[in-house]
Amino acid sequence: MYVYNPHQSIREFHIMFLVLSYVAICVNMVISRFLQMTFTTYRAPRAAFVGNFDEYEKFNYFLNKTSVKVEEIGYILEGDMPANRIFNVLGTLAGLEDIIKKYEIDQVFFIIHSDDNIERIQEYIDICLEMGVTVKVVMDVAYSRRMNRSDSYVSSVGTYPLITYHTIALNSYEQVLKRGMDLMVSITAAIVLLPLMLITCLAIKLDSPGPVIFKQKRVGQNGRMFEIFKFRSMCEDAESLKHELESQNEMEGLMFKIKDDPRITRVGKFIRKTSIDELPQLFNVIRGEMSLVGTRPPTTEEVSGYKRSQWRRISIKPGITGLWQISGRNDIKSFDEVVELDLKYIDNWTIWSDLEILFKTVGVLIKRKGAY
């Protein structure tokens, strides 16, 4: 059209199209880079580094020039502690599992030379993946073909090839999308349900002495501690009475549940049955400590007894609802089954699965299935 039909408007259209397309691409790049840098700076993943310290300094030089942001927690030694302390030494590879738990590590960078034997780090990669921790291997191109697996992808930082292993389905953009949905739904729900929450506060205050809101330390993503909010459904000294009731625990494993718990108040029975006691967790979601949909938020006592394979269930943010809640909730008596459902959610996450779980949760609430 431009060559054989040289009409003035045709030429203007093509020139304008090319100019606007170029501008649109530039704007898209700037905006997407800004969003990526903003997201990665806010709650940047906590990272530990393993390998040769000189190589680490070279790699870190290139890393700081990218939009990828990490919170550098420290350095994990492959052998014994050197005479001259370097960086912030967290420990040695032999104690990798304990280091991940203690320092709430999200990512581990293995910085490997071309003359290193890759097989020697495989067991440590497996430990990280079993615990839901992302692994990034910085290595020579010639060796990268030997590390390919279905749960990995290749990128680069400066002149360094970077192989990333992960067990979490969410990439950066999907995490932004999930967080956006969390904020939109939780803020809207908090505003709409505010009258109900105020009535509940009044009912709890009139029914029994003690605070309206129950706060408890829970374990969030990769071991981060936070205070979970619930409407108080038990007597004021419920936590101190728990040890007297441990023999009546109806759950198999680390969780503690009793159907006819004597500590529950009159109002507490109703708000538990209707799940109204969970509504203050909307503010945990707004604060970024929880998600609308995720894994069940465990107590510190539960996590202290976790096996290595069970740690992966806290590799994402805990949720107000999840597969456990729509699959039977308190009717499920096995802790291993709860873990299995949580890992199934992590391995098969999509934004559509979150929406499906939210809609099914509404049905469960209406039927009051498994709630007590």
Side-chain angles (χ1 to χ4, degrees), residues 228-259:
I228 195 171
F229 304 136
K230 288 187 176 186
F231 283 125
R232 181 175 58 83
S233 60
M234 293 185 176
C235 58
E236 193 174 5
D237 57 346
E239 288 298 300
S240 60
L241 296 174
K242 181 180 174 181
H243 70 279
E244 299 177 8
L245 302 169
E246 288 179 350
S247 60
Q248 302 177 41
N249 186 15
E250 297 173 3
M251 290 292 293
E252 298 175 10
L254 300 173
M255 289 172 61
F256 181 83
K257 288 286 182 182
I258 302 175
K259 186 171 185 179

Side-chain angles (χ1 to χ4, degrees), residues 190-215:
I191 294 171
V192 171
L193 296 171
L194 184 59
L196 176 60
M197 288 194 276
L198 292 175
I199 293 171
T200 305
C201 289
L202 181 61
I204 294 171
K205 203 67 180 174
L206 294 174
D207 181 53
S208 61
V212 170
I213 299 296
F214 171 71
K215 300 177 183 179

Side-chain angles (χ1 to χ4, degrees), residues 124-138:
Y124 301 111
I125 292 176
D126 292 339
I127 288 173
C128 292
L129 295 180
E130 190 176 359
M131 297 179 72
V133 174
T134 297
V135 175
K136 294 181 179 289
V137 180
V138 186

Side-chain angles (χ1 to χ4, degrees), residues 48-51 74-78 88-94 96 99 108:
F49 296 83
V50 181
Y75 195 80
I76 301 175
L77 298 172
E78 295 183 82
N88 179 24
V89 177
L90 307 178
T92 64
L93 266 181
L96 179 61
I99 291 172
V108 176

Side-chain angles (χ1 to χ4, degrees), residues 35-105:
L35 290 174
Q36 184 183 20
M37 291 181 69
T38 301
F39 177 75
T40 53
T41 301
Y42 172 71
R43 294 183 182 272
R46 296 167 63 85
F49 296 83
V50 181
N52 181 281
F53 188 70
D54 292 333
E55 287 292 329
Y56 157 73
E57 288 187 311
K58 289 169 59 180
F59 170 74
N60 197 44
Y61 169 80
F62 290 112
L63 184 64
N64 289 332
K65 290 183 176 294
T66 70
S67 61
V68 177
K69 303 297 179 185
V70 296
E71 182 182 350
E72 299 181 13
I73 303 303
Y75 195 80
I76 301 175
L77 298 172
E78 295 183 82
D80 297 330
M81 187 77 70
N84 298 321
R85 188 177 178 85
I86 52 173
F87 194 31
N88 179 24
V89 177
L90 307 178
T92 64
L93 266 181
L96 179 61
E97 181 179 343
D98 293 331
I99 291 172
I100 289 172
K101 291 180 179 179
K102 180 179 179 181
Y103 294 98
E104 304 164 359
I105 301 297

Side-chain angles (χ1 to χ4, degrees), residues 258-269:
I258 302 175
K259 186 171 185 179
D260 297 315
D261 197 320
R263 300 172 297 168
I264 300 176
T265 63
R266 289 175 299 173
V267 171
K269 288 182 180 180

Side-chain angles (χ1 to χ4, degrees), residues 315-358:
S315 59
I316 64 170
K317 288 182 183 178
I320 297 178
T321 186
L323 281 181
W324 175 64
Q325 285 85 343
I326 66 171
S327 302
R329 200 173 176 181
N330 292 321
D331 291 338
I332 298 175
K333 302 299 183 184
S334 170
F335 176 70
D336 289 336
E337 190 174 347
V338 174
V339 173
E340 186 179 340
L341 288 169
D342 285 342
L343 295 183
K344 180 180 178 182
Y345 170 77
I346 293 171
D347 292 336
N348 299 284
W349 181 89
T350 65
I351 195 66
W352 304 113
S353 66
D354 271 11
L355 292 172
E356 182 183 1
I357 289 171
L358 285 173

